Structures are given as structure tokens and as C-alpha cells.
């Protein structure tokens, strides 16, 4: 009897074992299929999320002095990029345009604000630049930097020619303000030899004028300039008129200048003050990817209201004028965005 039941029992045990193995294999297969589906889902999620990410993990924006519109607008833009893309985006205060272009060329920052006259010099390799710079590209034309030449009322300075023999602030050395000041003085027949020059940024120039150490100062920025707003609360200012006929002669060889007026009431002035302006440029490194620059450009224009809230100069930034008067080659990522908008 014992030998009669052993074989069927063994067969049953083998059969049961094979069924367990088969079930186990099916479960493993099902599990693998589930894992594959989950993986596919993760890829899909990642792909969806990739639209809100950048290849780079850092977006450092070189701006200007701490109190100027460059820094205020740049800081707001950095906050937008950090929030939108989750990158480490921050600003770097600098001496502004010339220093900014040099920092960008050296790869020490990712994006800069700079005046179009300085960018023109950089691309052509003139004045502050020994050779043409080829590794920077433009995202947008932003807002006008208005040349605001101010003097104390006691100085008797009413126009640029009156600056001869006076002690004046021309901005930080190598800044866009300083480049504007030097160019305008030359256009009106003056050089630095004809004046006493102090290289002072906005806040320092305002302090020096309050203290009676200088008689006039150039402020090149969006309107209004916060240092000038503060200054006009403490002393009687004279906004210096820039002769528009002579300016038009300068524009013939320096087309980045444009005629402009400081509106009445900007600094307590009863009437509009004829002056000049230079458009600001937003630049990036040319080796930044097309996709990243496309997203950065899109985020800029998607968040214009936030920039306007940060500083009213940003109210002049618009999609319609962003390509007008570009002085550096446009980055392919920015061009892709503009082409996309034009096709809508």
C-alpha cells in the first residue's frame, strides 16, 4: 500500500509546485508590466514638468547700482525666474553697462542689462572694448534710459555748454551713464579736460550734490530715478535742457540716441524738459541653449505686470517694440519666441 500511494502523492506535489511557479511568474510579469507603466507614467510626468524647467540651474543677472532701475527691475526678473523654473536666480550689483558686458563675455554671469550705445561699442570693438565681442546675443530691447542732467539752481547751469569749468559727476567709471556723459559732452564741444570730473554712481552723486561738493550730475536711467526723487526733496534742482537741434546732429553719427522729454511733474518740474535717451538691451551668453532662452524670454513677457509694479520704467517694455533697434545679434531662443507670437 505504501508504494501504491507514494507516486501519486509525489506527482501531486510536483504539480502543485509547478502551479506555484507559474503563478509566481505571472505575478512577476504583471508586476513588471505595472512597473513599466509606472515608469512610463513617470517619464510622461517628467516630460510634462520639463516645460517648466531649464537646462541650467543658475541664472545670474548683472544689473547696476543698488538704487537704480537696473537693479530693481533685474531683482524682480530674477524672482520671476526663480519662482517659474525653480532655478537659483539672483542679481549682481555692478558698475552697470561696460562691466556687465565684460562679465557676460567672461562667462561670469548669464544675463545682463546694458545700454545700447555700450553694446554697439562691444559688438564693433570700439572705445571701452579692444576687439569685437562675439559671444553675446540679445533677448530684447527694453525701455529708454533717459539722460537726466541736473544741477543746483545756484550753479547757473542751464545747458550743457554751461558745464565748462564746473565740477560734475558722470557716473561710475565705465558705466553707461559715464559713456553717455562723455559722448554728449564731446557732441557739444567739451571734453573731460574742460570740466572737473567725479566718477560717482547715483546715490553718491546725490549725496555729493546735497553736500555742495559738485554742481551738476548725469543720471542715465529709467524714469523716475529714486536718487533724484530723494535729492529734489532736499535741495532746489535745475533740470538741464539738452538742445534738440544739436542733439539731432549727434544722432546722425550716434543713432542709438533718440530725442526725448522728461514729462512735467517728474521731479516737480512745471514743464517738460527736452533731453535724450538710449534704449536698454537685455543680453545673454550666446552659448545658452535655445530652449532655455526661449523660456526665459517667454517668462519675461508673461510677467510684465510684475516688472511694472517693481519700477514704472518697465511700463515701456512691450512685445511690439522688443525687436526694434536691436544692436547685438538676436539669440535663436528669443527669435523662436517672437516668431511664435507673430504667427498667432
Amino acid at each position: 500500500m505504501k508504494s501504491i500511494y507514494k507516486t501519486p502523492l509525489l506527482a501531486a506535489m510536483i504539480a502543485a509546485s509547478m502551479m506555484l511557479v507559474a503563478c509566481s511568474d505571472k505575478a512577476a510579469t504583471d508586476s513588471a508590466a505595472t512597473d513599466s507603466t509606472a515608469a512610463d507614467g513617470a517619464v510622461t510626468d517628467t516630460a510634462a514638468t520639463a516645460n517648466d524647467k531649464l537646462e541650467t540651474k543658475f541664472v545670474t543677472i548683472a544689473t547696476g547700482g543698488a538704487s537704480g532701475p537696473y537693479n530693481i527691475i533685474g531683482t524682480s526678473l530674477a524672482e520671476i525666474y526663480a519662482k517659474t523654473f525653480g532655478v537659483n536666480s539672483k542679481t549682481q550689483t555692478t558698475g552697470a553697462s561696460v562691466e556687465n558686458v565684460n562679465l557676460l563675455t567672461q562667462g561670469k554671469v548669464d544675463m545682463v542689462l546694458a545700454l545700447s550705445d555700450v553694446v554697439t561699442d562691444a559688438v564693433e570693438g570700439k572705445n571701452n572694448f579692444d576687439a569685437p565681442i562675439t559671444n553675446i546675443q540679445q533677448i530684447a530691447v527694453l525701455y529708454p534710459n533717459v539722460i537726466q542732467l541736473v544741477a543746483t539752481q545756484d550753479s547757473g547751469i542751464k545747458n550743457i555748454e554751461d558745464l565748462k569749468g564746473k565740477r560734475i559727476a558722470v557716473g561710475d567709471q565705465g558705466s553707461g551713464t559715464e559713456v553717455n556723459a562723455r559722448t554728449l559732452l564731446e557732441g557739444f564741444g567739451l571734453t573731460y579736460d574742460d570740466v572737473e570730473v567725479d566718477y560717482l554712481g547715483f546715490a553718491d552723486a546725490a549725496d555729493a550734490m546735497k553736500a555742495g561738493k559738485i554742481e551738476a550730475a548725469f543720471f542715465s536711467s529709467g524714469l523716475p530715478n529714486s536718487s533724484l526723487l530723494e535729492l529734489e526733496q532736499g535741495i532746489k534742482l535745475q533740470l538741464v535742457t539738452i538742445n534738440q537741434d544739436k542733439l539731432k546732429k549727434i544722432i546722425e553719427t550716434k543713432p542709438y540716441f533718440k530725442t526725448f522729454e522728461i514729462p512735467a511733474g517728474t521731479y516737480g518740474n512745471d514743464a517738460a524738459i527736452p533731453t535724450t535717451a538710449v534704449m536698454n538691451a537685455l543680453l545673454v551668453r550666446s552659448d545658452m541653449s535655445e530652449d532655455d532662452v526661449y523660456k526665459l524670454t517667454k517668462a519675461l513677457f508673461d510677467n510684465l505686470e510684475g516688472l511694472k509694479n517693481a519700477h514704472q520704467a518697465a511700463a515701456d517694455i512691450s512685445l511690439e517694440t522688443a525687436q526694434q533697434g536691436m544692436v547685438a545679434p538676436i539669440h535663436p531662443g528669443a527669435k523662436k519666441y517672437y516668431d511664435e507670437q507673430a504667427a498667432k
Side-chain angles (χ1 to χ4, degrees):
M1 292 289 294
K2 190 174 183 180
S3 61
I4 293 174
Y5 291 105
K6 182 177 181 180
T7 300
L9 180 60
L10 180 60
M13 291 174 66
I14 292 172
S17 176
M18 291 177 66
M19 288 178 65
L20 286 169
V21 169
C23 288
S24 176
D25 287 344
K26 184 177 185 302
T29 301
D30 290 346
S31 176
T34 302
D35 289 345
S36 175
T37 302
D40 290 344
V43 169
T44 301
D45 290 344
T46 302
T49 306
N51 291 326
D52 298 324
K53 299 295 181 185
L54 300 177
E55 293 172 27
T56 183
K57 291 181 170 57
F58 303 93
V59 181
T60 301
I61 307 172
T63 57
S67 67
Y70 270 17
N71 197 53
I72 296 168
I73 292 171
T75 298
S76 181
L77 188 58
E79 290 170 354
I80 288 167
Y81 289 154
K83 181 178 179 181
T84 304
F85 304 114
V87 293
N88 182 359
S89 187
K90 60 184 180 179
T91 57
Q92 182 172 325
T93 56
T94 66
S97 296
V98 175
E99 182 180 351
N100 288 355
V101 171
N102 284 327
L103 288 170
L104 190 63
T105 302
Q106 296 159 10
K108 294 180 179 178
V109 296
D110 308 292
M111 179 182 287
V112 305
L113 291 96
L115 282 167
S116 291
D117 54 350
V118 172
V119 181
T120 299
D121 286 350
V123 171
E124 296 179 358
K126 298 189 308 186
N127 295 325
N128 290 288
F129 304 94
D130 295 331
I133 290 175
T134 59
N135 63 345
I136 60 173
Q137 292 180 320
Q138 193 157 350
I139 283 185
V141 175
L142 298 178
Y143 59 90
N145 239 39
V146 183
I147 285 73
Q148 301 152 74
L149 176 54
V150 299
T152 60
Q153 284 192 1
D154 294 339
S155 69
I157 297 169
K158 300 290 179 64
N159 53 58
I160 290 185
E161 291 89 342
D162 292 337
L163 294 175
K164 187 171 184 177
K166 305 293 187 180
R167 192 174 193 91
I168 64 172
V170 295
D172 287 317
Q173 193 159 15
S175 67
T177 296
E178 195 260 324
V179 171
N180 294 162
R182 182 161 22 90
T183 304
L184 282 172
L185 286 171
E186 290 172 357
F188 280 80
L190 300 175
T191 69
Y192 279 5
D193 292 334
D194 297 310
V195 295
E196 294 183 60
V197 170
D198 277 339
Y199 295 102
L200 301 173
F202 298 153
D204 289 339
D207 289 342
M209 191 171 286
K210 264 190 272 188
K213 295 179 179 178
I214 59 173
E215 295 170 279
F218 283 88
F219 292 76
S220 179
S221 75
L223 293 175
N225 182 288
S226 59
S227 293
L228 270 182
L229 285 174
E230 184 178 338
L231 181 61
E232 63 116 356
Q233 299 299 317
I235 66 171
K236 291 183 178 180
L237 283 181
Q238 174 70 49
L239 292 172
V240 178
T241 296
I242 293 180
N243 183 290
Q244 299 295 283
D245 290 333
K246 290 186 177 181
L247 175 63
K248 287 172 185 174
K249 291 289 186 183
I250 296 172
I251 292 173
E252 289 176 7
T253 56
K254 312 289 184 185
Y256 41 75
F257 282 116
K258 59 184 291 186
T259 58
F260 205 86
E261 286 188 340
I262 300 173
T266 303
Y267 301 109
N269 49 305
D270 294 331
I273 305 297
T275 186
T276 183
V278 178
M279 297 304 291
N280 285 295
L282 185 63
L283 307 172
V284 290
R285 298 192 328 270
S286 57
D287 63 355
M288 189 175 284
S289 76
E290 179 178 328
D291 190 56
D292 276 5
V293 175
Y294 168 84
K295 290 173 183 174
L296 292 170
T297 307
K298 183 176 186 301
L300 165 68
F301 289 101
D302 284 349
N303 292 276
L304 278 184
E305 286 304 315
L307 294 180
K308 293 173 187 176
N309 290 335
H311 196 287
Q312 74 180 62
D316 289 317
I317 302 173
S318 74
L319 185 59
E320 291 71 29
T321 60
Q323 298 179 80
Q324 295 176 8
M326 281 196 174
V327 292
I330 187 171
H331 192 287
K335 185 177 187 304
K336 177 183 175 183
Y337 174 76
Y338 295 130
D339 289 348
E340 183 182 89
Q341 295 304 303
K344 287 185 177 179

